[in-house]
Amino acid sequence: MTLIKNPNDIGTTNISGIIGTSLNIAVVGGGIGGLVSAYLLAKAGARVTVYEASDQLGGLGTFFQYRNVYLERFYHCMLPSDRHLLGVLRELGLEDEIYWKETSFGFMRDGQLYGLNTPLELLRFSPLSFVDRIRVGLTGLWGSVCSSDGLDDVTCVEWLSKISGHRAFETFWKPMLQAKFGDRYHEVPALWFWTRVNREKGGGKKECKGYIRGGYRRIIAALVEAIEARGGTIRLQTPMEKLDLTEDGRPTVHVAQENPHVYDRVVVTTPIFALRKAMADGQLASVAEQIDAGIDMQGVVNAVFTLRRGFTKHYWVATIDEEIPFQGIVESTTLLEKTDTAGMHLIYLMNYVHRTDLRFHQSDAEILDAYMVGLKRLFPDLVDEDVIDRFVFRSPFVEPIYTTGYQRRKPPTTLLPGKLYLATTTQVYPVVTSWDGAAGLAHRVIDELLSQV
Ligand SMILES: Cc1cc2nc3c(=O)[nH]c(=O)nc-3n(C[C@H](O)[C@H](O)[C@H](O)COP(=O)(O)OP(=O)(O)OC[C@H]3O[C@@H](n4cnc5c(N)ncnc54)[C@H](O)[C@@H]3O)c2cc1C
């Protein structure tokens, strides 16, 4: 088989084009990781089938219809540094549909809202002593210039306490880490913090975020069109139940009420829990042992409120207060145009928690009532009439709960050379889990797969 490099390919890595290949490849999972993988494979000439368990593509980036628009279930935006995702959008002809705005970050404590975007704002941040404000500022600066070497083996607690000091860590950094990782915050490596600081701030430049006119749904639709135009097939509501090998060693995808489907290659992009289950009984059980059994994931419980009024000028406000039942507010209308929100103000209230947390088992009404009480506490002039509609969305598998040395423990991208490949959220680290991270990983894995043809 002849491999060629396509000069028009995107990203840093070139995608190999296969001339005349008849490779038959299954991609399991129809989130952004699965769709970009399928797109790259279809572009390279493979025959691709995508298996998606739910009735919607997009994974964590799915949407719901609200009046005449489609809203994200979980707030989503792009950053100028999202080169893999932006490269795909360029290829799909969507680049001009993205709009960018300067955005900002706020910190709410004891009912007081502080902007935390400029050195001056940090100097005015009274919950910290003057010396601690300087130390927090220097920590951010140091994070954007220091090398990442060795940071995977040091916890955020150790690293941040050393640079910012214990008091500043307790008042400022610890609540932020807890907001993302709950009671497992103390295990997270400093490398996670380092990549996050560098992604969010784009290396010290002003914070700027992007959104696509019509919502992330358009990206999903364009990818589907591109895959199908190249002969690919997308199967919704078709969860992979088992992943195995035929007697002669070819990978098979088992779905309900059908004979096993035999492929030349399988690329799995689902949360690893689905994969472990699918490989548990069968010839791949020992291969599954390459996936560290200790890797667990944090989930999210998130509410969307449509409102008659906005609250702050900040895209994201950390609400660090034991009395407040959510960890943050994303006021996405500080970024989104009115045409993308049916003219409403839009906020997301979220808790990043483990799937065993009570909030995964409470009713939507209980969560919404508690969130409303919290909102009224933060914004005493909020009245019930300000709220138009409220929705709750949950996802049990959002981001790995990282521990030191995760870089060495993350699952391999090739599970069985020439047969089975993995491109899941657990492997994106140290890059921040995001659509860009998933697209970048998909590029890497598909390059690897094609190089082993
Ligand atoms: C609250 C929140 C806010 C976020 N904000 C942003 C943001 O602003 N910007 C950004 O870029 N990213 C953001 N993210 C992260 C981003 O959504 C994820 O990193 C990304 O969507 C992961 O994509 P994925 O394809 O790897 O996984 P997923 O999106 O999890 O997709 C996996 C897919 O596999 C399917 N599946 C599961 N089991 C099976 C099975 N047995 N068979 C077949 N299919 C199966 C699932 O249904 C799903 O569609 C956010 C996430 C959350 C939760």
Side-chain angles (χ1 to χ4, degrees):
M1 196 168 292
T2 320
L3 294 177
I4 57 156
K5 293 280 182 197
N6 179 348
N8 297 320
D9 281 328
I10 52 181
T12 47
T13 48
N14 280 324
I15 309 303
S16 304
I18 304 176
I19 296 175
T21 182
S22 57
L23 274 189
N24 190 12
I25 303 183
V27 174
V28 186
I32 186 65
L35 291 177
V36 172
S37 298
Y39 167 62
L40 298 175
L41 286 166
K43 247 185 16 157
R47 204 143 41 91
V48 188
T49 305
V50 178
Y51 291 89
E52 166 54 43
S54 74
D55 60 358
Q56 234 190 334
L57 294 167
L60 294 172
T62 48
F63 51 87
F64 65 103
Q65 183 160 15
Y66 181 73
R67 302 194 176 183
N68 62 335
V69 295
Y70 292 89
L71 302 179
E72 313 301 333
R73 289 185 183 180
F74 305 106
Y75 54 93
H76 272 72
C77 67
M78 293 164 217
L79 298 179
S81 52
D82 287 353
R83 64 196 172 99
H84 298 288
L85 179 63
L86 293 172
V88 171
L89 300 189
R90 195 173 311 124
E91 282 198 3
L92 296 173
L94 289 176
E95 199 177 26
D96 292 343
E97 298 300 309
I98 304 164
Y99 51 90
W100 299 94
K101 279 190 196 156
E102 216 174 277
T103 53
S104 60
F105 164 65
F107 193 108
M108 209 152 188
R109 200 186 159 93
D110 302 329
Q112 187 76 27
L113 177 63
Y114 303 88
L116 270 177
N117 303 280
T118 61
L120 192 61
E121 285 178 337
L122 180 59
L123 284 176
R124 289 186 184 137
F125 186 62
S126 55
L128 291 174
S129 70
F130 190 73
V131 171
D132 287 347
R133 292 174 216 171
I134 304 278
R135 290 189 77 170
V136 164
L138 289 176
T139 307
L141 264 184
W142 178 239
S144 61
V145 295
C146 75
S147 152
S148 61
D149 288 354
L151 292 187
D152 191 37
D153 294 314
V154 181
T155 63
C156 281
V157 178
E158 292 164 323
W159 194 72
L160 290 169
S161 302
K162 195 166 139 199
I163 305 172
S164 287
H166 180 68
R167 267 188 331 238
F169 176 79
E170 289 291 319
T171 312
F172 188 76
W173 298 115
K174 180 173 150 185
M176 306 260 252
L177 290 171
Q178 280 176 321
K180 191 78 182 159
F181 295 101
D183 58 3
R184 301 285 292 271
Y185 78 93
H186 56 279
E187 296 177 89
V188 177
L191 185 58
W192 177 85
F193 175 84
W194 184 90
T195 34
R196 204 171 166 91
V197 162
N198 284 286
R199 176 178 186 258
E200 296 272 334
K201 290 288 175 193
K205 293 187 207 88
K206 277 202 168 152
E207 183 177 303
C208 177
K209 297 195 189 319
Y211 192 71
I212 180 160
R213 221 161 268 119
Y216 273 51
R217 167 177 177 266
R218 288 191 68 194
I219 304 176
I220 300 163
L223 279 166
V224 169
E225 199 182 314
I227 294 164
E228 290 182 340
R230 290 165 176 83
T233 305
I234 297 192
R235 301 191 61 187
L236 295 177
Q237 293 179 288
T238 317
M240 172 180 74
E241 296 190 336
K242 185 171 177 182
L243 183 60
D244 209 346
L245 296 177
T246 57
E247 277 180 10
D248 62 349
R250 295 176 72 199
T252 53
V253 174
H254 298 235
V255 301
Q257 296 167 351
E258 291 177 19
N259 288 327
H261 298 274
V262 181
Y263 290 97
D264 298 310
R265 308 280 186 279
V266 175
V267 181
V268 178
T269 70
T270 68
I272 49 164
F273 300 88
L275 176 66
R276 279 197 194 118
K277 201 166 141 220
M279 292 167 83
D281 320 301
Q283 295 192 57
L284 290 171
S286 60
V287 175
E289 285 165 16
Q290 292 178 58
I291 304 167
D292 189 324
I295 296 176
D296 200 355
M297 289 181 83
Q298 192 69 301
V300 75
V301 175
N302 137 121
V304 186
F305 281 55
T306 59
L307 300 157
R308 288 181 219 286
R309 50 166 279 197
F311 288 113
T312 77
K313 57 180 184 169
H314 303 298
Y315 181 78
W316 185 47
V317 174
T319 49
I320 316 294
D321 187 334
E322 280 178 11
E323 304 284 319
I324 302 300
F326 42 82
Q327 299 153 343
I329 305 174
V330 168
E331 189 157 350
S332 64
T333 16
T334 58
L335 167 64
L336 271 58
E337 288 176 357
K338 284 255 158 69
T339 44
D340 285 326
T341 64
M344 312 290 157
H345 288 271
L346 202 61
I347 60 166
Y348 292 76
L349 308 175
M350 81 302 278
N351 278 290
Y352 287 97
V353 283
H354 194 259
R355 59 193 176 281
T356 51
D357 186 275
L358 175 70
R359 279 159 282 204
F360 266 94
H361 309 287
Q362 282 180 316
S363 69
D364 288 3
E366 282 173 295
I367 287 173
L368 290 169
D369 288 349
Y371 280 11
M372 189 65 191
V373 170
L375 265 185
K376 282 184 174 168
R377 192 181 271 268
L378 292 177
F379 305 99
D381 57 342
L382 171 74
V383 291
D384 291 343
E385 291 67 41
D386 287 331
V387 179
I388 304 164
D389 285 301
R390 318 181 298 178
F391 309 88
V392 174
F393 299 103
R394 300 172 177 81
S395 174
F397 304 119
V398 173
E399 181 162 33
I401 300 172
Y402 304 113
T403 50
T404 48
Y406 187 86
Q407 180 77 310
R408 292 186 295 277
R409 284 204 317 282
K410 68 181 181 181
T413 44
T414 298
L415 276 186
L416 265 187
K419 289 177 183 162
L420 185 52
Y421 297 83
L422 266 194
T424 73
T425 295
T426 47
Q427 300 159 284
V428 172
Y429 181 90
V431 172
V432 173
T433 53
S434 61
W435 273 40
D436 185 62
L441 177 67
H443 275 89
R444 191 150 55 79
V445 171
I446 300 312
D447 264 2
E448 202 168 299
L449 181 156
L450 294 174
S451 72
Q452 291 171 7
V453 170

